[in-house]
Amino acid sequence: IVPFLDAEGKPYQYLAIRTDITKRKLNEIELESTKTKLELAMSVSEIGPWEYDIAKNQLIWSDTIRRICEVESETVITPEYSASITHPDDDPRVLETWTNAVRESSSFESTFRVVTPTGRTKWVISRGKSITDSNGKAVRLVGTLSDVTDMKSASEERLRLIESLEAERDTREKFVNLITHDLRTPLSAAKMAAQILARKKDDPEAFTLLVGKIIENANRMDDMIRDLLDTNRIRAGKKLTVTVGPCDMKDIVSRTIDDLTMIHGERFVL
């Protein structure tokens, strides 16, 4: 508005210029609405924006990041404070990521741990990019930070489970291989006794001895198979009744040597 003055300096008319700013206002309203929706979505999904002014060395956190890091609203946020709550083992790597982003004017992503003022350790992921001036020099870093503690814990638990299953599979395979190998001894002894029995069927004393050997080795194989089944029951969480009794080691070794002698000849002495 421009006034026109008379000789006494009093305005007697005005010149007004009006500009239609409806479109600009609608754009501002739409932009504010979009910003509100974005902030709401990020708040619900526990994703908070941050901004770092390189020249001023000024770091700005959103309320969501304060909530993730369990930092009071009165706490002044500085790059030094951010570094102080970063896990000591991760801090050098995070600093290197930021330094590279500034030097190369690039985007970045970093997963690391923070130790909150309450003493809790959380896993977070920070994604961002550098904002450059007309000369291509980075002047700001902007990005987001989100809490991925639950996701990280689930991933680690899944990894532990996989490792446990692989270890159990390896143990089972070794056990089966061992049992299979051990079964060959009584099986070979029984087979050898049967072959000798076929040649000495007219010798009553040899017949009785060899039949006894066949039965004895068949029982040993049966016991081994039962042990294998018992092992699987234990792994399935079932309880087994254990009976403790005397064991004659001399008798066990003597019978073992007899079986080996039958298979390999007179090469063993007790």
Side-chain angles (χ1 to χ4, degrees):
I1 299 176
V2 179
F4 287 85
L5 307 179
D6 58 16
E8 297 179 357
K10 297 180 179 180
Y12 63 91
Q13 67 178 11
Y14 295 89
L15 173 64
I17 300 176
R18 295 182 178 181
T19 303
D20 186 355
I21 59 172
T22 303
K23 185 176 181 180
R24 190 181 74 187
K25 277 297 182 182
L26 290 176
N27 289 337
E28 290 177 356
I29 293 172
E30 183 178 356
L31 181 61
E32 185 64 28
S33 175
T34 301
K35 181 181 178 182
T36 301
K37 291 177 181 178
L38 178 60
E39 289 176 348
L40 179 60
M42 296 179 75
S43 175
V44 171
S45 59
E46 286 297 288
I47 300 176
W50 57 263
E51 181 177 343
Y52 174 58
D53 188 310
I54 298 174
K56 296 179 180 179
N57 193 34
Q58 183 181 50
L59 179 62
I60 300 175
W61 279 4
S62 67
D63 291 340
T64 301
I65 297 182
R66 287 179 178 270
R67 186 165 58 253
I68 291 173
C69 297
E70 300 177 358
V71 175
E72 298 291 340
S73 58
E74 296 80 10
T75 302
V76 178
I77 303 302
T78 63
E80 293 75 20
Y81 180 80
S82 177
S84 72
I85 67 171
T86 302
H87 195 284
D89 293 342
D90 299 340
D91 185 51
R93 177 168 50 82
V94 174
L95 179 59
E96 182 181 7
T97 300
W98 278 47
T99 302
N100 290 339
V102 173
R103 182 176 62 250
E104 300 171 5
S105 300
S106 60
S107 301
F108 63 91
E109 178 178 309
S110 180
T111 302
F112 56 95
R113 290 163 292 179
V114 295
V115 182
T116 71
T118 62
R120 292 208 302 166
T121 299
K122 290 186 172 184
W123 280 96
V124 296
I125 182 169
S126 181
R127 298 183 177 92
K129 67 176 182 178
S130 59
I131 305 299
T132 59
D133 58 16
S134 57
N135 297 319
K137 180 182 178 181
V139 293
R140 284 188 302 147
L141 296 178
V142 295
T144 61
L145 184 136
S146 55
D147 185 352
V148 294
T149 304
D150 292 341
M151 186 187 307
K152 193 74 174 178
S153 298
S155 177
E156 291 176 350
E157 181 62 29
R158 186 164 53 250
L159 181 60
R160 283 194 294 269
L161 178 59
I162 292 173
E163 290 176 348
S164 175
L165 291 174
E166 288 179 346
E168 182 178 347
R169 181 198 61 193
D170 292 342
T171 301
R172 184 181 294 110
E173 288 179 353
K174 290 178 182 177
F175 185 77
V176 170
N177 290 337
L178 179 62
I179 290 294
T180 303
H181 178 270
D182 289 348
L183 279 172
R184 290 176 181 173
T185 299
L187 180 61
S188 298
K191 182 179 179 181
M192 183 65 68
Q195 291 172 346
I196 297 174
L197 180 62
R199 295 196 299 269
K200 296 188 176 183
K201 57 185 177 181
D202 297 328
D203 186 342
E205 184 177 349
F207 182 86
T208 302
L209 176 64
L210 294 170
V211 168
K213 286 292 183 183
I214 293 173
I215 295 174
E216 179 184 348
N217 284 287
N219 288 335
R220 286 177 59 192
M221 288 187 286
D222 183 62
D223 288 341
M224 289 182 180
I225 293 173
R226 289 177 184 274
D227 289 342
L228 179 59
L229 294 175
D230 286 345
T231 301
N232 287 332
R233 291 192 186 98
I234 292 173
R235 292 187 180 278
K238 296 181 179 179
K239 295 182 179 180
L240 298 178
T241 302
V242 178
T243 303
V244 180
C247 178
D248 188 341
M249 290 301 299
K250 184 176 180 180
D251 178 62
I252 293 175
V253 173
S254 178
R255 286 189 285 115
T256 301
I257 289 179
D258 288 345
D259 290 340
L260 293 174
T261 299
M262 184 178 294
I263 300 172
H264 302 288
E266 299 286 345
R267 287 193 278 173
F268 306 93
V269 178
L270 176 59

